């Protein structure tokens, strides 16, 4: 009963390095999301995918790219990491967007030195 | 400019008493309002929601109130239990889900 699974859970990068956060869901969700959580800022939407094959920018997309590889998987890529991207990242899925009920993964803590 | 705001970063309540968490919003076009609960080292989990056409929704110990004229949302937990200690996020949806900054609730035994 995995739900939404994110890897890795922890990562330390140096400025300028690249990495990809992986997310997979087994709940047959149509839409998937990447959020970042920073103290006092709540969760801010980076990118989302309303359905397989589509992706759209959220509130804070700069410095990130995403890929909706198939219905199950939605990855987030940092091409050139910056200290401002130090954060906790959450992937989430939903059957639709109408009621706002999302199912979140456990989070990935990223530190950029 | 934050469209959804939680002005109290923390709240401490005695076990058995009522916890009231507040949230203000600026966009009158939001369709649904939600509360999420988050424990340390876990992802947020959905708690309760309310449609913009309602003013109250109740689920067990949790009740959400919506005051559209004041653009204000509140979550009442009665009675509060130590296991309710967590960070609570309010959120609102209009095309995408927008979260407030969170309120840390501590319920003391």
């Amino acid at each position: 009963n995995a739900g939404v699974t994110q890897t890795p859970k922890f990562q330390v990068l140096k400025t300028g390095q690249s990495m990809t956060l992986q997310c997979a869901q087994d709940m047959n969700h149509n839409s998937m999301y990447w959020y970042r959580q920073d103290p006092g800022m709540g969760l801010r939407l980076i990118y989302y995918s309303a359905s397989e094959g589509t992706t759209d920018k959220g509130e804070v997309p700069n410095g990130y790219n995403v890929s909706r590889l198939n219905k199950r998987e939605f990855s987030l890529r940092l091409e050139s990491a910056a200290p401002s991207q130090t954060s906790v990242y959450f992937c989430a899925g939903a059957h639709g967007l109408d009621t706002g009920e999302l199912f979140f993964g456990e989070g990935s803590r990223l530190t950029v030195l | 400019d934050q469209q959804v705001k939680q002005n109290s970063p923390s709240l401490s309540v005695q076990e058995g008493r009522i916890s009231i968490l507040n949230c203000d919003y600026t966009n009158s076009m939001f369709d649904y309002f939600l509360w999420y609960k988050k424990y340390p080292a876990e992802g947020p989990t959905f708690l309760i929601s309310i449609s913009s056409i309602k003013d109250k929704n109740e689920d067990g110990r949790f009740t959400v109130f919506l005051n559209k004229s004041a653009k204000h949302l509140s979550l009442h937990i009665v009675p509060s239990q130590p296991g309710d200690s967590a960070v609570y996020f309010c959120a609102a949806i209009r095309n995408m889900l927008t979260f407030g900054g969170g309120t840390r609730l501590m319920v003391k035994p």
Side-chain angles (χ1 to χ4, degrees), chain A:
Chain A
N1 192 17
V4 178
T5 303
Q6 296 180 226
T7 55
K9 291 199 170 16
F10 300 94
Q11 184 72 50
V12 178
L13 290 177
K14 294 181 180 177
T15 296
Q17 287 185 318
S18 62
M19 76 157 300
T20 299
L21 296 174
Q22 307 284 356
C23 177
Q25 53 92 6
D26 61 3
M27 303 177 76
N28 202 33
H29 289 149
N30 293 316
S31 54
M32 297 185 74
Y33 308 83
W34 275 106
Y35 283 89
R36 60 178 288 174
Q37 184 196 2
D38 302 293
M41 303 291 289
L43 291 99
R44 293 181 292 170
L45 183 64
I46 305 170
Y47 269 94
Y48 68 101
S49 170
S51 61
E52 185 180 353
T54 68
T55 61
D56 285 288
K57 295 179 181 179
E59 184 184 353
V60 288
N62 291 345
Y64 305 95
N65 284 300
V66 290
S67 295
R68 184 77 184 267
L69 303 170
N70 47 57
K71 188 170 186 179
R72 290 188 64 247
E73 299 172 290
F74 188 40
S75 61
L76 178 72
R77 182 158 179 85
L78 287 72
E79 290 291 351
S80 179
S84 61
Q85 294 178 302
T86 293
S87 188
V88 181
Y89 291 84
F90 289 97
C91 177
H95 292 291
L97 197 49
D98 49 350
T99 60
E101 185 176 349
L102 303 185
F103 296 83
F104 284 87
E106 293 184 338
S108 299
R109 183 175 292 274
L110 175 66
T111 301
V112 183
L113 302 175

